[in-house]
Amino acid sequence: MRISDAQRCPFTSVGYVKTQQKRLLESCWLTAKKKQIAQRFTQPNLEQLVSLLNDDISPAAISQACIEIMANLPQNINLVFINNLLKEPSLHSAAKLIIRKVLLQQHSYNLIALIDL
């Protein structure tokens, strides 16, 4: 959530956001290493996202988690995920936040034309 807040704040430097993203990624890798789990990023599962929303997890937290995962995936997988997300009616609140955050990230500008709106 700190990353999400920093991205929206006009006074936050790009370096601070990158540092926070790097720390989060390192933390994920260290946790996986301690638990001896193979760390690989895959497209977020829509059923899991629906269940998280049903468990009263905030859409903002879910969208930020998806963005962090998407940053480690190829653009073609991200495009499929976003288009599938838009087709799931129960995920519209999270979808709006994810798309807004995707559009804020410079490396995702080329996805805008490919999103099936």
Side-chain angles (χ1 to χ4, degrees):
M1 292 310 296
R2 275 188 265 153
I3 294 169
S4 181
D5 293 340
Q7 287 174 330
R8 285 181 285 173
C9 177
F11 303 109
T12 304
S13 71
V14 173
Y16 176 77
V17 173
K18 295 283 185 196
T19 301
Q20 292 298 316
Q21 289 173 331
K22 183 179 176 189
R23 284 183 184 166
L24 179 63
L25 187 60
E26 288 171 352
S27 174
C28 290
W29 281 102
L30 288 174
T31 302
K33 186 175 179 180
K34 286 178 187 175
K35 294 181 180 180
Q36 297 179 349
I37 300 171
Q39 183 75 6
R40 58 191 153 89
F41 291 97
T42 59
Q43 175 181 331
N45 184 315
L46 295 181
E47 291 81 25
Q48 287 179 334
L49 296 179
V50 170
S51 71
L52 287 172
L53 277 175
N54 292 338
D55 291 341
D56 292 330
I57 305 295
S58 113
I62 292 171
S63 66
Q64 188 62 43
C66 288
I67 290 296
E68 296 307 320
I69 291 170
M70 291 170 68
N72 294 288
L73 294 174
Q75 295 285 11
N76 60 337
I77 292 175
N78 290 339
L79 179 63
V80 169
F81 169 66
I82 289 173
N83 284 323
N84 289 337
L85 189 66
L86 289 170
K87 294 174 188 170
E88 183 65 44
S90 58
L91 292 173
H92 278 205
S93 60
K96 286 180 184 178
L97 291 170
I98 290 170
I99 291 171
R100 186 177 302 141
K101 291 178 184 198
V102 164
L103 298 180
L104 286 174
Q105 294 182 354
Q106 292 181 2
H107 70 276
S108 298
Y109 283 141
N110 57 353
L111 276 180
I112 298 170
L114 301 175
I115 295 174
D116 184 16
L117 297 175

